[in-house]
């Protein structure tokens, strides 16, 4: 296998594919694919107050999290805008978090600032631990995941390659788009709120206590609609060139949104996650860089 690497963007330097992206996608769908996610940031939170502390800081109900169960959470600012996206597991003594590498510095600074007098210790451990997407049926977080010591990474990769197929980010992102999973800094911008992106009742627990930004989430949920909504677009596959991240979405002559992630899926063809104005008709014929696109609803328009 000859690896082809992502040349630019948030995943620059990550393996894109090994020459047969459709084969890799089929392996992932069959539960026989695995991926090296060692570029992801790993942060730990130890201490007896870790779960109640994270419960107060994030959108997820962390206080009742059972050991060895993966979950996801967001950290919002006071106005309800998404700042961080976390994927977490507790091992009974420590919470392990993986997140975007670009967010590592700002996230650990925020966590350390919020310690106060509680018995918690947040720490970056990306240099000593790594993340893998291991074989198995896909879950709604992009896993199953495994965190291992970096000095065991080579041994573990060799072990996985004996029986399973390594896949790159092409396959992972195609699966993510197909499953309607929004990603930080792809489908989010400076004004994103959870209600727009399908996070309610998964990364955002709707019956937990207070957390920063909860007032916005609750108010929009109970009294109105978010100004934008996440959709999956099916693009015309007869066009040779495809739009890129950030490309503008048009309804007629009117700009109504932007492309977050575009992927070429082995069954569905070119698909994308886009964030568009809520008032855009659900049956509207859209275009992106001149490419016709139809909507698949994720967040309801009404």
């Amino acid at each position: 296998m000859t690896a082809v690497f992502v040349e630019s963007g948030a995943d620059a330097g990550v393996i894109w594919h090994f020459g047969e992206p459709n084969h890799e996608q089929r392996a992932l769908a069959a539960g026989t694919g695995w991926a090296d996610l060692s570029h992801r940031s790993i942060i730990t939170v130890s201490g007896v107050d870790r779960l109640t502390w994270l419960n107060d800081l994030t959108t997820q109900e962390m206080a009742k999290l059972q050991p060895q169960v993966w979950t996801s959470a967001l950290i919002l600012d006071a106005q309800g805008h998404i700042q961080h996206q976390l994927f977490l597991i507790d091992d009974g003594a420590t919470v392990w978090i993986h997140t975007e590498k670009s967010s590592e510095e700002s996230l650990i600074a925020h966590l350390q600032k919020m310690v106060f007098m509680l018995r918690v210790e947040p720490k970056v451990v990306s240099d000593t631990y790594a993340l893998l997407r291991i074989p198995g049926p896909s879950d709604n977080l992009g896993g199953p995941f495994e965190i291992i010591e970096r000095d065991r990474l080579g041994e573990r990769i060799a072990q996985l390659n004996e029986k399973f197929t390594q896949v790159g980010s092409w396959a992972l992102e195609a699966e993510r788009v197909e499953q309607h999973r929004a990603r930080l800094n792809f489908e989010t911008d400076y004004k994103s709120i959870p209600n727009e992106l399908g996070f309610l009742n998964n990364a955002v627990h709707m019956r937990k206590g207070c957390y920063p930004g909860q007032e916005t989430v609750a108010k929009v949920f109970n009294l109105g609609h978010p100004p934008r909504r996440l959709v999956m677009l099916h693009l015309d596959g007869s066009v040779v060139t495809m739009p890129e991240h950030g490309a503008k979405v048009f309804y007629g002559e009117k700009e109504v949104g932007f492309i977050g992630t575009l992927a070429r899926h082995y069954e569905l063809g070119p698909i994308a996650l886009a964030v568009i104005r809520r008032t855009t008709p659900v049956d509207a014929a859209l275009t992106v860089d001149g490419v016709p696109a139809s909507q698949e609803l994720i967040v309801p328009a009404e």
Side-chain angles (χ1 to χ4, degrees):
M1 296 187 299
T2 301
V4 178
F5 295 88
V6 179
E7 294 183 354
S8 61
D11 290 334
V14 173
I15 295 172
W16 188 26
H17 61 82
F18 292 93
E20 297 183 333
N22 285 349
H23 171 70
E24 294 171 33
Q25 290 184 55
R26 291 188 181 95
L28 202 59
T32 60
W34 74 275
D36 181 354
L37 301 179
S38 58
H39 61 287
R40 298 278 292 174
S41 174
I42 307 292
I43 292 174
T44 58
V45 180
S46 57
V48 296
D49 295 328
R50 66 192 182 283
L51 293 179
T52 53
W53 180 68
L54 286 168
N55 191 74
D56 292 340
L57 292 181
T58 74
T59 57
Q60 189 58 268
E61 187 175 44
M62 294 294 298
K64 298 179 182 179
L65 182 66
Q66 297 300 305
Q68 308 304 330
V69 176
W70 280 97
T71 190
S72 61
L74 305 173
I75 292 178
L76 313 180
D77 66 15
Q79 290 72 44
H81 300 131
I82 298 170
Q83 304 297 298
H84 298 285
Q85 182 181 28
L86 316 178
F87 300 89
L88 318 91
I89 190 171
D90 183 66
D91 66 7
T94 300
V95 173
W96 298 78
I97 300 168
H98 76 82
T99 190
E100 301 288 338
K101 188 67 175 179
S102 61
S103 298
E104 181 180 276
E105 186 175 341
S106 59
L107 175 57
I108 193 64
H110 175 73
L111 294 177
Q112 290 174 341
K113 182 176 67 175
M114 302 302 292
V115 168
F116 302 119
M117 299 298 290
L118 295 175
R119 295 165 293 176
V120 294
E121 182 184 4
K123 182 167 58 175
V124 176
V125 295
S126 304
D127 289 341
T128 51
Y129 288 89
L131 181 72
L132 297 173
R133 197 288 194 190
I134 57 174
S138 176
D139 60 30
N140 62 0
L141 305 178
F145 300 117
E146 178 180 325
I147 296 176
I148 67 167
E149 298 91 341
R150 280 194 179 268
D151 59 13
R152 292 185 52 234
L153 188 57
E155 173 190 350
R156 182 63 171 136
I157 287 175
Q159 182 185 52
L160 288 168
N161 278 335
E162 288 180 2
K163 297 182 178 180
F164 303 104
T165 301
Q166 185 173 0
V167 309
S169 64
W170 181 321
L172 294 171
E173 290 294 86
E175 180 184 74
R176 181 173 68 81
V177 173
E178 177 197 13
Q179 295 178 348
H180 304 166
R181 292 186 280 110
R183 180 179 172 187
L184 184 74
N185 299 329
F186 283 71
E187 284 69 52
T188 69
D189 57 19
Y190 70 96
K191 58 184 179 180
S192 296
I193 62 173
N195 312 60
E196 299 175 324
L197 299 173
F199 285 127
L200 304 189
N201 293 312
N202 47 69
V204 178
H205 195 284
M206 298 302 290
R207 297 183 301 279
K208 62 166 284 185
C210 294
Y211 56 86
Q214 184 191 29
E215 183 178 355
T216 296
V217 174
K219 182 180 294 185
V220 173
F221 178 74
N222 291 313
L223 301 179
H225 299 284
R228 304 179 298 180
R229 56 188 175 88
L230 183 71
V231 297
M232 188 171 86
L233 299 183
H234 294 264
L235 291 97
D236 182 353
S238 66
V239 180
V240 176
T241 59
M242 283 288 114
E244 298 182 353
H245 169 72
K248 297 176 181 179
V249 178
F250 286 88
Y251 173 36
E253 299 297 318
K254 181 185 297 185
E255 180 184 336
V256 294
F258 67 91
I259 290 286
T261 306
L262 185 134
R264 289 186 180 272
H265 191 272
Y266 75 105
E267 289 185 332
L268 301 176
I271 54 176
L273 291 179
V275 180
I276 65 174
R277 293 181 185 175
R278 179 187 60 82
T279 54
T280 305
V282 297
D283 58 352
L286 305 177
T287 59
V288 189
D289 285 348
V291 179
S294 60
Q295 302 174 54
E296 181 175 321
L297 287 182
I298 299 174
V299 174
E302 298 297 338

